Amino acid sequence: MLNFISSIGRLSIRFLEETGNILLLLCFTLKQMVIPPYEIKNTLKQMLEIGVKSLPVVLITAVFTGMVLALQTYTGFKRFGAEAFVGTVVALSMTREMGPVITGLIVTGRAGASMAAELGTMRVTEQIDALETLATNPVKYLVVPRFISGVIMMPALTVLADIIGIIGGYLITVGLYGASSTVYWKKTWDYLETEDIYNGIIKAAFFGASITLISCYKGFYTTGGAEGVGKATTGAVVISFMTILISNYFLAAWLYK
């Protein structure tokens, strides 16, 4: 029993310590963002890595998510004659929840893992130490461009995922089940409000900030050589996944109250 309580205590202390360190990294990153010189070229490079290279996976996942939403919703709603509202359900589901969450999970798996591995390798090979020796601030050079890129590219990817998901729902509802195209689009726009889209974008920006901060933190403070890089990458993905799924509940409760 004492060992169990001791384990819980150690986990709680480690959780609080890691959370505090990530918040400190956030404060330092925000401070460095406003101090010139600005790493514009590096930021554009990270936007390419995080946003453009994640786009094919995001679009493929989004279209099939919209299709399966329409598939399940149509067969369920048909039981009580409400097939006309399939477009409404697909649009609200994509813009409010599925778009930002699925995009966040994909960006974590592709770009977040890559960030943690890249920075972790730089740390264990002492490249980050070399930057400090050359009087280059490693947070400004390595973390700030990734943070800005995550906050900008996640909402952009989410908007595209929303659009493609709604089109996926259209393909199933109209193409497979033969429903009216006019009714699908009318019901989609009748009940979709700008607030639904804006709130989804706010969630996506928060997820983008979380993914980049956690991934950079795990990579930046990697120890233990190649094995440590592997642990840092795994830790970045697991913590980012949990952060997205847990924070999604609280953001939804706050934004849609």
Side-chain angles (χ1 to χ4, degrees):
M1 186 64 181
L2 284 174
N3 288 335
F4 176 73
I5 295 173
S6 176
S7 300
I8 296 294
R10 281 196 298 271
L11 285 174
S12 300
I13 292 171
R14 187 177 173 187
F15 172 77
L16 291 174
E17 185 181 9
E18 295 248 313
T19 304
N21 288 335
I22 291 172
L23 291 176
L24 283 174
L25 180 61
L26 171 64
C27 294
F28 197 40
T29 302
L30 293 175
K31 179 184 175 185
Q32 292 299 320
M33 278 174 58
V34 296
I35 299 175
Y38 304 110
E39 297 287 343
I40 296 175
K41 186 178 178 182
N42 201 3
T43 303
L44 291 175
K45 180 186 172 186
Q46 294 303 324
M47 290 172 75
L48 176 70
E49 290 291 329
I50 296 172
V52 178
K53 292 188 178 179
S54 299
L55 187 59
V57 187
V58 169
L59 294 185
I60 291 171
T61 307
V63 72
F64 279 97
T65 301
M67 288 167 71
V68 78
L69 275 173
L71 195 70
Q72 296 288 4
T73 307
Y74 191 92
T75 52
F77 280 16
K78 191 177 180 182
R79 296 175 186 172
F80 43 90
E83 305 96 303
F85 292 96
V86 172
T88 306
V89 172
V90 172
L92 292 179
S93 300
M94 288 303 301
T95 54
R96 285 179 167 226
E97 299 297 333
M98 303 303 288
V101 171
I102 286 176
T103 305
L105 296 179
I106 291 171
V107 170
T108 298
R110 209 206 67 78
S114 174
M115 274 182 233
E118 184 181 358
L119 296 188
T121 303
M122 292 181 70
R123 172 60 75 185
V124 299
T125 56
E126 299 182 351
Q127 293 180 60
I128 293 178
D129 298 330
L131 286 175
E132 292 173 338
T133 305
L134 295 170
T136 301
N137 188 323
V139 171
K140 186 175 187 63
Y141 184 70
L142 298 173
V143 180
V144 170
R146 287 170 172 81
F147 180 77
I148 294 173
S149 303
V151 173
I152 293 175
M153 296 312 292
M154 263 295 296
L157 287 171
T158 298
V159 170
L160 292 173
D162 293 344
I163 295 170
I164 295 299
I166 293 170
I167 292 173
Y170 173 87
L171 294 176
I172 292 299
T173 308
V174 178
L176 181 63
Y177 290 115
S180 168
S181 172
T182 305
V183 170
Y184 181 88
W185 290 118
K186 185 175 187 308
K187 294 298 181 185
T188 296
W189 300 122
D190 279 354
Y191 294 95
L192 184 64
E193 298 178 0
T194 52
E195 184 185 56
D196 299 318
I197 300 170
Y198 290 151
N199 288 343
I201 290 173
I202 291 171
K203 288 167 77 172
F206 179 84
F207 295 158
S210 302
I211 294 165
T212 49
L213 268 179
I214 292 168
S215 301
C216 289
Y217 168 76
K218 297 300 285 186
F220 207 76
Y221 295 101
T222 297
T223 57
E227 186 182 351
V229 175
K231 287 181 180 177
T233 306
T234 305
V237 172
V238 171
I239 296 173
S240 295
F241 272 25
M242 290 176 64
T243 302
I244 289 171
L245 296 175
I246 294 171
S247 63
N248 182 53
Y249 168 78
F250 292 102
L251 285 170
W254 172 55
L255 292 169
Y256 299 109
K257 63 184 176 182

